[in-house]
Amino acid sequence: MSSTPGRAVRRALTAIVPVTALLALTACGGDTTPAADASQAAAAAADSPGLAEARAAAEKYSERPTRIPVTKPVGKDIPTGKKIDFILCGVQSCKDLADFFTAGAKELGWTVKQIATQGTPESVQAAYEQALRDKPDAVVASGFPRAVYAKQLAQLKAADIPVIQSNADDVVGDGISLLKNGPMDVGVQGEMIASWVVSDSSAKANAVYFDLPAYTILKPVKMAFAAKYKEWCEGCALDTVDVPITSVGKDMPDRVVSYLRSHPKVTHVVFSLGLLNVGVPAALKAAGITGKHIIVNVGDAQSYQYIQGGQTDGAMALNSHETAWIQVDALARHFTGQSMAVDQKALLPNMLVTKDNLPSADGDFPLVEDYQAQFKALWGLS
């Protein structure tokens, strides 16, 4: 499936020829005309190796995955009655992950307690303290590196309670039994977004990247985006704007409007998380700002509704369903005395979505449509 075409401000592929020079060339029998220049510039962009690579990448990433990344059955009876604490990170994408995990755990007869945080170090530490008091069979969390909760992690390790992480800037070991979508995994997300921006603009973009540095796991995404954007879109402008977590759900739309008013040449707006785009399309419309192309990393239900309604152009659809159930699978293996290595090594799917290939706008959708049946087959439930 090819990416959705779009329009963008032309970058300087050739020097602008003054009107007087054009007149002189015409008078001397020259055949250079504005139309010819435009045609040559378009041809140059079309022949760009970077643009061809970006389009090929966008086409590959737009394909919907069909298989979960684990194929080895658990092979043993999985014990029921396990109690799991799931620590939230303070944003909707983590709540979604917890809900999907809870659904998978229920299939195995486990109960899940979700512990809310505000995304601050203090609230995260308090949540881990709660988990220590609960003494669950396992702790699952997302979004924060061990430096935030090092003391509590050491205590959980001493109590032989496994901690499973995802979407965190961390490494496996020393208390963390499993890490999915870690820093070595998420760079592809930036590449996916860059492939769409370059393809959509025909390698003539002027982009701004709004980032949420409080979530350090997003740093590899930003770095990969910038690297691929520079490689595929030579000479294209790129600016980065860091946003405090306190802007989420508050003044984020105003920040975007203010930026675009002072940077009218920007053609493409990129958000490192879909939640940063909430309210932005309406704010742009109210401000009379049109012609901007928007893509988000880690799309959510609101993102997909925006895409369906033509208010946002694309999203990197995160593997939240598959991540949650692979965490359940890892614990199933742990509780049956097996290694989690098969889950740690598994490469989770991702997908680049636009209006052309959006599977659904009715909530956060799984990338692998029948992932539940595939996982349950591994667990001996079907």
Side-chain angles (χ1 to χ4, degrees), residues 8-32:
V9 177
R10 296 185 183 88
R11 64 179 173 88
L13 294 171
T14 58
I16 299 175
V17 183
V19 175
T20 53
L22 288 173
L23 292 173
L25 286 169
T26 303
C28 293
D31 59 0
T32 302

Side-chain angles (χ1 to χ4, degrees), residues 6 74 109 115 156 212 221 223 226 231 242 269-270 324 327:
V74 172
I115 305 176
L156 288 166
L212 196 61
V221 180
M223 293 175 63
E231 176 186 342
D242 289 341
V269 181
V270 182
Q327 291 173 326

Side-chain angles (χ1 to χ4, degrees), residues 74-95:
V74 172
K76 297 182 179 181
D77 291 337
I78 301 170
T80 60
K82 296 297 183 180
K83 296 181 180 180
I84 318 294
D85 276 5
F86 197 114
I87 297 174
L88 306 179
C89 75
V91 299
Q92 185 59 45
S93 57
C94 290
K95 180 64 169 67

Side-chain angles (χ1 to χ4, degrees), residues 28-347:
C28 293
D31 59 0
T32 302
T33 65
D37 284 345
S39 177
Q40 291 168 5
D47 294 336
S48 163
L51 178 58
E53 290 177 14
R55 285 175 171 164
E59 183 173 2
K60 177 183 71 173
Y61 292 133
S62 297
E63 296 177 357
R64 188 172 188 180
T66 60
R67 297 295 304 173
I68 61 173
V70 179
T71 58
K72 181 181 178 181
V74 172
K76 297 182 179 181
D77 291 337
I78 301 170
T80 60
K82 296 297 183 180
K83 296 181 180 180
I84 318 294
D85 276 5
F86 197 114
I87 297 174
L88 306 179
C89 75
V91 299
Q92 185 59 45
S93 57
C94 290
K95 180 64 169 67
D96 292 341
L97 189 64
D99 290 343
F100 304 147
F101 178 90
T102 300
K106 185 178 179 180
E107 295 286 344
L108 296 176
W110 305 345
T111 57
V112 179
K113 176 181 179 179
Q114 297 186 16
I115 305 176
T117 77
Q118 288 72 54
T120 62
E122 296 78 12
S123 64
V124 172
Q125 291 163 11
Y128 275 94
E129 290 288 349
Q130 177 64 58
L132 283 166
R133 291 191 294 272
D134 291 343
K135 298 180 181 179
D137 294 295
V139 174
V140 184
S142 178
F144 292 95
R146 71 179 70 218
V148 177
Y149 57 97
K151 176 184 175 181
Q152 295 82 10
L153 179 61
Q155 292 174 295
L156 288 166
K157 180 183 177 183
D160 200 27
I161 298 174
V163 175
I164 288 182
Q165 275 279 6
S166 68
N167 307 295
D169 185 9
D170 216 319
V171 294
V172 173
D174 198 21
I176 295 180
S177 301
L178 182 84
L179 173 65
K180 302 307 297 181
N181 284 329
M184 300 299 293
D185 307 316
V186 299
V188 67
Q189 299 171 10
E191 180 176 333
M192 293 168 71
I193 298 169
S195 73
W196 181 85
V197 172
V198 177
S199 299
D200 183 70
S201 68
S202 295
K204 294 175 284 184
N206 184 324
V208 59
Y209 189 103
F210 286 94
D211 192 30
L212 196 61
Y215 294 104
T216 55
I217 187 57
L218 295 174
K219 184 177 180 180
V221 180
K222 179 176 71 173
M223 293 175 63
F225 173 85
K228 283 299 182 180
Y229 181 83
K230 181 179 181 181
E231 176 186 342
W232 290 334
C233 204
E234 184 179 355
C236 295
L238 173 63
D239 191 15
T240 299
V241 178
D242 289 341
V243 179
I245 194 170
T246 51
S247 291
V248 176
K250 296 181 180 178
D251 68 341
M252 188 63 202
D254 294 336
R255 287 174 179 266
V256 177
V257 167
S258 177
Y259 179 89
L260 293 178
R261 278 177 171 165
S262 60
H263 299 78
K265 292 184 179 180
V266 166
T267 60
H268 287 72
V269 181
V270 182
F271 294 105
S272 65
L273 278 180
L275 63 90
L276 293 176
N277 188 38
V278 175
V280 170
L284 295 183
K285 182 177 180 180
I289 298 175
T290 60
K292 309 303 179 183
H293 302 269
I294 299 174
I295 187 168
V296 305
N297 186 48
V298 187
D300 53 21
Q302 183 65 73
S303 302
Y304 305 136
Q305 290 173 12
Y306 281 158
I307 290 173
Q308 185 181 58
Q311 298 169 292
T312 294
D313 297 277
M316 192 295 298
L318 188 63
N319 42 52
S320 296
H321 293 77
E322 294 79 6
T323 296
W325 280 51
I326 208 171
Q327 291 173 326
V328 175
D329 185 81
L331 286 176
R333 295 174 196 275
H334 172 76
F335 294 144
T336 54
Q338 302 180 65
S339 169
M340 300 183 190
V342 65
D343 298 286
Q344 184 60 52
K345 294 176 182 178
L347 296 178

